Amino acid sequence: MDWAIPQSLRYSLRYAGHPAGEQRLTLEPRRDGLRLTLEASVELPPPKTRQRWESELDRTGLPRRYRERVEGNGQRVMEVEFSREDGLVTVSQGKDDLAIPYLAEMHDPLSLILAVGRLDLEVGGVQKFALVGGRAYAERLPDQSLEVPGSGEKQERRVRVFRLRPGLSLLYFDEGGYPVRLTQKVGEHVFEAELVQVERLEAGQRLQPLERRSEGGSRTNAQRNSARPRVVAGEPGKPRVVSGEPPREREKDAPSRRRRRRRRYS
């Protein structure tokens, strides 16, 4: 993978064999290194979440800063600053800060993916990586054949496979070092990310957020199914209120709503 080329890698997500959303990994070359951004809109497993991870790497591929934001059932924000000069790693979560010694080269989840893709291990070889709060072991497995995006349509290619421990994660890389597939055991099922498109970006090009893409798709589906009302099992009928709607229509419905509430909570 050429770090000097701005590019975007788009993945389709599946959970237990069902479509589960999409994610995009963007590589932005910087004068002093590389910036990685992973955006994901995940629909399965519930609840639906939006995720954004950012990692700023130096020229050697080690992170200087890492940010993680997850929105779904609540919100989680974490920032990590790696300072080899000061020998400290500072982790910030909300109002809480934690400083730990920087005793060995450390990675974040995004820089780890690129680091594994650059490994030159024989089958059965293992490489240890230090992470914030733990460590990971990457084991080289036998190569496999996998259909990956090519010019025009998918082509079957030989890919390198690594297993990450602890956990049950597999990373697949093509001959160019692109992560073409990532799988992880989540509960009793498997979560998969499969590369579907690589797009070369122009300098300064701004990408459309995944949320807007999803909303656009939802509007299109709604237009297609406009003749069919949406019915949710167990959900009481609710009048649609539009700004500027004549007030007498709402007043006419108000008594029946009050009667239903009295019966429900009596």
Side-chain angles (χ1 to χ4, degrees):
M1 188 187 304
D2 192 345
W3 289 17
I5 300 177
Q7 51 195 307
S8 171
L9 284 62
R10 187 166 62 87
Y11 296 81
S12 64
L13 305 180
R14 297 183 69 83
Y15 177 71
H18 301 286
E22 64 175 329
Q23 72 179 23
R24 180 176 60 210
L25 177 63
T26 306
L27 289 77
E28 302 173 80
R30 298 294 180 90
R31 183 177 303 175
D32 55 353
L34 179 72
R35 180 182 180 184
L36 295 174
T37 304
L38 178 66
E39 301 170 280
S41 177
V42 183
E43 299 175 0
L44 292 176
K48 181 177 179 180
T49 61
R50 292 193 301 270
Q51 306 174 13
R52 181 180 177 88
W53 301 355
E54 296 180 20
S55 180
E56 298 179 15
L57 312 181
D58 62 19
R59 293 182 180 275
T60 67
L62 292 174
R64 292 192 299 264
R65 295 178 187 84
Y66 171 76
R67 305 177 187 90
E68 177 180 311
R69 184 185 187 92
V70 179
E71 298 178 356
N73 187 14
Q75 178 174 293
R76 183 177 76 250
V77 179
M78 180 176 70
E79 297 185 7
V80 184
E81 184 168 352
F82 302 83
S83 178
R84 282 179 285 173
E85 295 78 8
D86 299 331
L88 288 175
V89 177
T90 305
V91 182
S92 301
Q93 289 184 294
K95 299 180 180 180
D96 299 325
D97 290 344
L98 172 66
I100 59 178
Y102 195 125
L103 302 177
E105 294 181 347
M106 302 184 72
H107 284 273
D108 60 50
L110 292 185
S111 68
L112 176 64
I113 295 176
L114 264 62
V116 172
R118 299 168 71 185
L119 288 178
D120 185 16
L121 295 176
E122 298 292 335
V123 174
V126 178
Q127 177 70 43
K128 182 176 76 171
F129 294 94
L131 303 174
V132 176
R135 59 183 61 88
Y137 296 88
E139 178 187 1
R140 175 75 183 274
L141 300 182
D143 293 351
Q144 296 185 19
S145 294
L146 193 68
E147 287 189 348
V148 299
S151 54
E153 58 184 25
K154 287 188 175 183
Q155 303 173 357
E156 188 168 308
R157 296 180 182 175
R158 200 159 187 82
V159 296
R160 295 177 298 135
V161 186
F162 294 87
R163 177 167 52 204
L164 285 182
R165 296 182 285 113
L168 295 173
S169 299
L170 297 177
L171 304 179
Y172 301 75
F173 297 88
D174 66 6
E175 67 275 8
Y178 284 87
V180 295
R181 190 181 183 198
L182 303 91
T183 69
Q184 183 179 10
K185 188 75 176 294
V186 178
E188 297 298 321
H189 303 289
V190 175
F191 188 85
E192 305 172 80
E194 183 176 357
L195 181 66
V196 295
Q197 183 185 48
V198 177
E199 178 185 2
R200 181 167 179 168
L201 305 176
E202 300 296 331
Q205 179 179 346
R206 297 178 64 87
L207 293 172
Q208 185 179 16
L210 290 179
E211 292 80 359
R212 293 182 182 176
R213 292 169 57 113
S214 301
E215 290 170 1
S218 298
R219 284 194 297 270
T220 302
N221 293 336
Q223 293 170 356
R224 293 174 181 173
N225 301 319
S226 58
R228 294 182 298 175
R230 176 178 176 270
V231 178
V232 179
E235 179 179 319
K238 298 179 183 178
R240 179 174 178 268
V241 179
V242 180
S243 177
E245 182 180 22
R248 62 177 176 274
E249 294 184 9
R250 293 195 296 269
E251 292 172 359
K252 181 178 63 177
D253 293 336
S256 60
R257 288 199 298 269
R258 285 196 295 269
R259 287 195 296 271
R260 283 198 297 270
R261 280 200 295 267
R262 283 199 297 269
R263 288 198 297 269
R264 181 180 302 171
Y265 296 106
S266 58

